[in-house]
Amino acid sequence: MAKELSIKDLEKKASELRIAALKAISKAGSGHTGSSMSLMDALVTLYYAGGAEEEDYVILSKGHGAPAQYAILADKGFFDKSELDHLRQAGALLQGHPVVKIPGIAVSTGSLGQGFSVAHGIALSLKLDKENQKVFVVLGDGELQEGIVWETAMSAAHYMSNNLIAIVDNNGLQIDGSCKKVMNVQPIRDKFVAFGWRVIEVVDGHDFEELIDAVRRARAEERKPVCIWCHTVKGKGVPFAENKVEYHGVALSEEEMKVAEAELKCN
Amino acid sequence: MANYHIKLEGELEKQATRKSFGEALVKLGAKREGIVVLDADLSCSVQTAKFAAEFPERHFNMGIAEQNMLGAAAGFATRGKIPFACTFSVFATGRPWEIIRNSICYPNLNVKILGSHAGVLTGEDGASHQALEDIAIMRALPNMKVVQPADHVEALSVMEKIVDDYGPTYLRVLRQGTPLLYSDERPCNFEFGKADVLFDSGKGSGSKPGKVDLCVFATGALVGSSLEAALKLTEEDGKKVLVYNMSSLKPIDEDAILEGAGRAKVCVAAEDHNTIGGLGSAVADVLAGEGVGVRLVKIGVKDAFGESGKPADLYKKYGFDAEGVYKSLRSTG
Ligand SMILES: Cc1ncc(C[n+]2csc(CCOP(=O)(O)OP(=O)(O)O)c2C)c(N)n1
Ligand SMILES: [Mg+2]
């Protein structure tokens, strides 16, 4: 494991990575700004705070949040940072949604719900091979509306797949509006509990202390799959985009990018 | 010039057929109370938001749950409604395919499936979001009709016909604008099972249509590209070219295919879709079935997934823009 980063260091790292992800999206002129910001701190917890071991799997079932993971993988040296300048362009390595040809990406996602199911298959396979790795899989709250999510939840509890840790990026929004209004998925905790999961609630999904503690507890679970239910802010870190459904899938303009960068640098 | 039918000078005005669909839906919704619209969290992208605002009681956002959306559509149709189930083509046809098969096509229910963002023209979102096999998998279903309008005017005409027609139908529309081909001078009157000749530089002056070097069967965005390519081939290379708009992919106009092929040295099928199972395969079936021994060249995505990129860049890369189609046609015949 790399040397421990302090909470301050993690916050600084997350800000840098936010800037890198936003710049990539902005340069591409297309991509999911809000969605990439809400899950960033959970990913930083996994990749930089010892949340995930090197051999663990980190899968974005909400594949449209890919720029956040791409920024991290570039920072970690999986591929050259210059690849971020070509995101979503013809012939580029970095596709709009994760694909296994990209170093560091284990599962091709983009069609919501499926990454969760694949993640559980990997978890089952690890157990079969008597391997200790964990499988982390990040889902959107809107994504939970897909039927396959609940088929997966059922089977993971059935097989007592305690090596499967789902992180629900509960930012309250999807594309057509708030999840409550479009198709209510709450109560999320009760649903997962009823399906046989252990649920760990993270009240502030951007607080590293809380996130680190939640992941530590999830790793220690011995019988059940674990859902880390994270309350997050869509667009987190970009004040004018925070909690705004309009910023779900649009790139920041050059002007907006400057403002966002200045904001993130003062944090 | 009279033979060319379609105005092709200068920058052509464009509109995305998904917008035309959204417009038509509101207009028809006012006239037909039986129309209900089901969405899967993409109402802005697939242009159903206007219908939702206008007729909120007949709009159902099912959330990100395409299988349930199609199942519910079957339920609405069971009670005589005209449900439109709308999302991106990949998620409209692929995710709920078996539900479409068993709960919609098997009982022959009047469900209309709207798939937007088809083909590599979808652009930046990349392969996971670019439907390239939707025509194939919808065409294979008994009772299902498959339609892809080439422009705005045709999309409006298609919608009029679709709501009057009975039975499951897949309507394929596009994210990006395509050139306006039809106009008051060249109106569009879409009919299921009918192809439309949009260009014919081999018509000749006599009563019998003359031979052509190339007969192009095109669908969707490739119609515009094929027309521009045909014009250039005619004017710069002295070739004789015939171009059909194949908006009705199923039922397909067998007579038109046989007539066009009968006049041509080489046939071409052009589509933003996998070359397996789409328009090219449908044309090949007709030709082979009738024992027509003409060569058929397929322009399309050759058994591959798409990729991210700006739509125009991808059209260039895949040879789907006018220049690309021109090059393919010139090297063909
Ligand atoms: C199967 C499927 N249907 C629809 C989409 C289109 N889509 C992409 S993101 C999105 C909304 C996701 O909302 P949520 O899961 O809450 O993620 P957030 O962006 O809020 O983190 C939708 C509908 C998709 N990618 N896959
Ligand atoms: Mg959300």
Side-chain angles (χ1 to χ4, degrees), chain A residues 28 30 32 88-91 95-97 109-114 142-143 145-146 148 174-176 182-183, chain B residues 39 41-44 61-66 91 95 124-129 307-310 313-314 317:
Chain A
S30 125
H32 297 82
R88 290 180 159 244
Q89 288 166 28
Q95 296 293 298
H97 293 82
T109 58
S111 180
L112 294 169
Q114 298 183 26
E143 182 177 12
Q145 293 156 357
E146 285 287 359
I148 193 173
Q174 48 192 112
I175 293 181
D176 279 345
V182 174
M183 179 54 62
Chain B
D39 263 314
D41 195 31
L42 287 168
S43 68
C44 291
N61 202 328
M62 306 305 285
I64 312 168
E66 295 80 9
F91 312 130
R95 189 61 158 268
E124 294 88 343
D125 272 347
S128 59
H129 285 55
E307 62 182 292
S308 290
K310 293 202 166 51
D313 291 346
L314 293 179
K317 180 167 178 174

Side-chain angles (χ1 to χ4, degrees), chain A residues 35 38 62 64 139-143 169-175 177 179 232 234 248, chain B residues 64:
Chain A
S35 316
S38 59
K62 50 163 277 190
H64 58 286
L139 293 104
D141 45 359
E143 182 177 12
D169 182 1
N170 195 145
N171 57 30
L173 298 175
Q174 48 192 112
I175 293 181
C179 302
T232 56
K234 205 155 175 170
H248 164 86
Chain B
I64 312 168

Side-chain angles (χ1 to χ4, degrees), chain B residues 7-77:
Chain B
K7 233 181 37 216
L8 282 169
E9 298 114 44
E11 263 301 294
L12 296 170
E13 208 187 315
K14 290 184 171 182
Q15 175 160 334
T17 46
R18 66 180 163 129
K19 298 214 166 109
S20 326
F21 157 74
E23 253 175 56
L25 196 59
V26 173
K27 218 180 104 203
L28 294 163
K31 288 195 253 178
R32 305 285 292 260
E33 290 210 339
I35 293 179
V36 297
V37 172
L38 292 88
D39 263 314
D41 195 31
L42 287 168
S43 68
C44 291
S45 294
V46 306
Q47 302 285 313
T48 45
K50 278 196 208 93
F51 183 97
E54 201 80 23
F55 310 105
E57 73 291 351
R58 285 193 269 147
H59 176 259
F60 301 86
N61 202 328
M62 306 305 285
I64 312 168
E66 295 80 9
Q67 300 181 58
N68 186 38
M69 173 168 73
L70 270 298
F76 276 109

Side-chain angles (χ1 to χ4, degrees), chain B residues 137-152:
Chain B
I137 62 176
M138 288 295 103
R139 216 165 62 81
L141 291 169
N143 293 326
M144 180 66 80
K145 299 186 184 88
V146 181
V147 180
Q148 175 170 230
D151 83 340
H152 165 69

Side-chain angles (χ1 to χ4, degrees), chain A residues 49-108:
Chain A
E53 305 280 335
E54 212 141 281
E55 301 293 301
D56 291 344
Y57 288 84
V58 178
I59 297 160
L60 291 196
S61 191
K62 50 163 277 190
H64 58 286
Q69 195 174 21
Y70 293 164
I72 290 170
L73 294 174
D75 184 56
K76 293 242 157 197
F78 280 84
F79 44 78
D80 201 87
K81 279 189 179 154
S82 65
E83 294 291 350
L84 293 170
D85 294 336
H86 307 291
L87 173 70
R88 290 180 159 244
Q89 288 166 28
L93 173 68
L94 300 182
Q95 296 293 298
H97 293 82
V99 54
V100 294
K101 76 167 181 185
I102 300 170
I105 298 292
V107 176
S108 298

